[in-house]
């Protein structure tokens, strides 16, 4: 994800922070620093937000560590102002795995809340004994007690919010996985999406009527998140054909190739006349590098047309066996962080395939499958 940078690596997972995250820190500082809070208040606000996001990170790590254990590699965790996202290369295959991965996040916050309940409980008991009411009056002052109390409430909120049974929240995934155990993924996904969007509409109406704009915004976020899930739900439906269709059916068989002695000017000509974005550089029949359109554009800023393609090509290449399925090929490219790969069959170079080629093939196959389903399946 662009506009984000790495701050740590825990259990082999990169933790990245999105730049907009600093807005939240600033917001914390303003909220606690204003109204006479001063510099101490502002610092308190920043520390509070940092601790809150530590809890969010631990939540995402909960998902990630369980996912890694179950063979679903997590590439990175990105911290955004709205919370965290654990970026997975693929979806868990078994419902029980999805259930365990989804529930692990909220469980982390339950544990944190339980740990915080000890000092917070003592604090509440003290104020009850003093006759000061259920909550200490000082709950808005920057103090350790306030810090603990806010973190306790925040973790409870994180659990409650994430367990709302609506995509893309954890609760939606938990609901889908439990349904999938009984009725399989395609129907479970459809039902879970319908339930989630109904809840989102309910929350939205309630938010608008009660003048709670934050709630209304969250409802919009859930509603459209569910829409995205419809897309990946479609991917679930189509997984079958992507597993059986081979990469050997999706690569460009008529791709233009470059030789070692070719110059950058030849690639520019190719790009202008062929719409082909990537080119392999061959030494005889053996691929020795890949030149992409971006490489060429970047190199023209520094080198001239007379430079050799061997100066701008990438020598590290991902190879895919032509018998790999579209799904495997896509996963491999994602894992390697590559956009384009060599298609090989028993050591012989066949052509290039890019993520866009694979996505295009998948889109076409999905469409064909849908059309066939509509023709053969009974209504409903
Ligand atoms: Zn979660």
């Amino acid at each position: 994800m662009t506009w984000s940078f790495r701050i740590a690596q825990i259990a082999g997972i990169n933790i990245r922070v999105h730049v907009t995250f600093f807005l939240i820190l600033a917001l914390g500082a303003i909220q606690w620093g204003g109204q006479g809070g001063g510099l101490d208040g502002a610092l308190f606000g920043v520390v509070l937000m940092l601790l809150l996001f530590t809890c969010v990170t631990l939540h995402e790590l909960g998902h990630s560590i369980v996912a890694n254990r179950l063979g679903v590699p997590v590439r990175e965790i990105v911290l955004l102002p709205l919370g965290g996202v654990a970026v997975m290369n693929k979806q868990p295959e078994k419902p029980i795995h999805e259930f365990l991965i989804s529930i692990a996040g909220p469980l982390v916050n339950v544990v944190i809340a339980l740990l915080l309940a000890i000092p917070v409980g003592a604090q509440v008991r003290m104020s009850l004994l003093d006759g000061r009411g259920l909550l200490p009056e000082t709950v808005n002052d920057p103090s350790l007690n306030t810090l603990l109390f806010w973190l306790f409430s925040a973790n409870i909120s994180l659990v409650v919010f994430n367990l709302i049974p609506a995509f893309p929240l954890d609760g939606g995934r938990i609901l889908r996985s439990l349904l999938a155990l009984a009725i399989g993924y395609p129907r479970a996904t459809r039902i879970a999406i319908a339930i989630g969007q109904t809840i989102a509409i309910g929350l939205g109406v309630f938010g608008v009527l009660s003048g709670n704009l934050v709630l209304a915004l969250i409802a919009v976020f859930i509603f459209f998140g569910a829409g995205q899930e419809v897309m990946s739900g479609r991917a679930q439906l189509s997984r079958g054909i992507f597993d059986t269709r081979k990469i050997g059916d999706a690569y460009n068989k008529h791709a233009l190739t470059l030789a070692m002695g070719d110059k950058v000017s030849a690639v520019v000509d190719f790009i202008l006349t062929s719409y082909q974005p990537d080119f392999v550089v061959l030494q005889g029949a053996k691929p020795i590098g890949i030149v992409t359109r971006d490489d060429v554009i970047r190199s023209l800023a520094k080198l001239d047309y007379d430079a050799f393609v061997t100066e701008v090509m990438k020598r590290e290449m991902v190879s895919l066996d032509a018998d790999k399925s579209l799904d495997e090929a896509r996963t491999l490219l994602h894992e390697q962080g590559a956009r384009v790969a060599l298609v090989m069959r028993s050591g012989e170079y066949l052509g290039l395939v890019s993520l866009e080629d694979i996505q295009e093939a998948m889109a076409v196959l999905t469409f064909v499958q849908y059309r066939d389903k509509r023709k053969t399946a009974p209504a409903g």
Side-chain angles (χ1 to χ4, degrees):
M1 199 171 279
T2 46
W3 287 98
S4 64
F5 52 91
R6 204 178 87 158
I7 50 159
Q9 195 182 40
I10 301 172
I13 300 157
N14 285 329
I15 316 269
R16 302 176 70 87
V17 162
H18 196 263
V19 284
T20 48
F21 167 77
F22 291 100
L23 283 178
I24 290 293
L25 291 189
L27 224 69
I30 291 166
Q31 203 190 340
W32 288 87
Q35 294 162 4
L39 187 62
D40 282 354
L43 270 177
F44 182 80
V46 170
V47 170
L48 195 62
M49 289 304 152
L50 285 176
L51 286 172
L52 179 62
F53 268 83
T54 307
C55 295
V56 171
T57 308
L58 290 171
H59 171 112
E60 297 303 331
L61 273 174
H63 289 307
S64 308
I65 289 169
V66 173
N68 274 344
R69 277 285 171 86
L70 295 174
V72 181
V74 174
R75 224 178 337 145
E76 58 189 17
I77 291 172
V78 184
L79 296 177
L80 299 156
L82 271 176
V85 184
V87 184
M88 297 180 195
N89 287 331
K90 56 176 185 177
Q91 294 195 335
E93 306 217 335
K94 291 186 187 150
I96 188 72
H97 287 180
E98 184 177 39
F99 174 78
L100 292 172
I101 294 169
S102 306
I103 204 154
L107 272 183
V108 169
N109 298 110
V110 168
V111 171
I112 299 174
L114 283 176
L115 291 176
L116 288 170
I118 300 163
V120 169
Q123 185 189 337
V124 169
R125 206 174 311 121
M126 285 285 285
S127 60
L128 276 178
L129 287 177
D130 291 354
R132 281 184 292 166
L134 188 60
L135 296 180
E137 294 157 2
T138 54
V139 83
N140 284 317
D141 292 340
S143 69
L144 181 64
N145 278 346
T146 309
L147 190 88
L148 294 173
F149 183 77
W150 274 82
L151 279 180
F152 172 76
S153 327
N155 276 283
I156 299 281
S157 308
L158 277 172
V159 174
V160 171
F161 176 63
N162 276 295
L163 286 184
I164 298 173
F167 285 117
L169 303 173
D170 296 331
R173 295 180 197 287
I174 291 168
L175 172 68
R176 192 250 302 263
S177 62
L178 290 176
L179 286 170
L181 281 172
I183 55 174
Y185 259 121
R187 274 179 70 201
T189 303
R190 277 198 295 272
I191 294 174
I193 288 168
I195 294 176
Q197 290 194 321
T198 310
I199 290 175
I201 292 169
L203 276 180
V205 170
F206 181 76
V208 169
L209 289 182
S210 64
N212 190 336
L213 273 184
V214 175
L215 195 62
L217 272 178
I218 289 172
V220 171
F221 160 76
I222 293 175
F223 192 87
F224 286 103
Q228 282 187 344
E229 207 59 37
V230 177
M231 296 303 290
S232 64
R234 208 163 275 172
Q236 292 275 10
L237 272 179
S238 316
R239 197 179 261 172
I241 37 173
F242 298 156
D243 280 346
T244 51
R245 284 302 176 114
K246 305 277 181 261
I247 206 67
D249 305 328
Y251 76 94
N252 180 358
K253 294 180 182 67
H254 311 289
L256 300 162
T257 60
L258 299 165
M260 276 182 78
D262 281 334
K263 308 229 162 136
V264 170
S265 56
V267 193
V268 174
D269 283 347
F270 277 172
I271 290 173
L272 291 175
T273 54
S274 73
Y275 300 107
Q276 183 181 326
D278 312 299
F279 303 87
V280 72
V281 181
L282 295 175
Q283 183 176 30
K286 188 179 150 242
I288 55 166
I290 293 176
V291 179
T292 69
R293 191 192 334 226
D294 292 348
D295 295 334
V296 171
I297 292 168
R298 222 174 297 128
S299 74
L300 282 177
K302 287 177 285 175
L303 304 164
D304 57 29
Y305 284 101
D306 283 336
F308 286 104
V309 288
T310 43
E311 291 177 61
V312 299
M313 71 185 188
K314 283 193 189 74
R315 284 164 203 277
E316 308 83 52
M317 296 173 287
V318 178
S319 297
L320 293 172
D321 192 273
D323 287 331
K324 281 244 180 310
S325 72
L326 291 180
D327 208 34
E328 287 173 309
R330 182 174 59 170
T331 307
L332 248 153
L333 278 170
H334 275 304
E335 278 172 7
Q336 308 270 335
R339 220 198 88 250
V340 54
L342 304 170
V343 180
M344 309 287 286
R345 179 170 283 141
S346 40
E348 190 198 339
Y349 167 76
L350 297 180
L352 290 178
V353 72
S354 67
L355 270 177
E356 294 91 79
D357 295 333
I358 295 173
Q359 264 145 18
E360 207 174 287
M362 286 179 159
V364 171
L365 287 170
T366 308
F367 176 74
V368 170
Q369 195 195 32
Y370 255 70
R371 194 201 50 187
D372 294 350
K373 267 226 166 84
R374 206 171 300 152
K375 275 187 190 159
T376 53

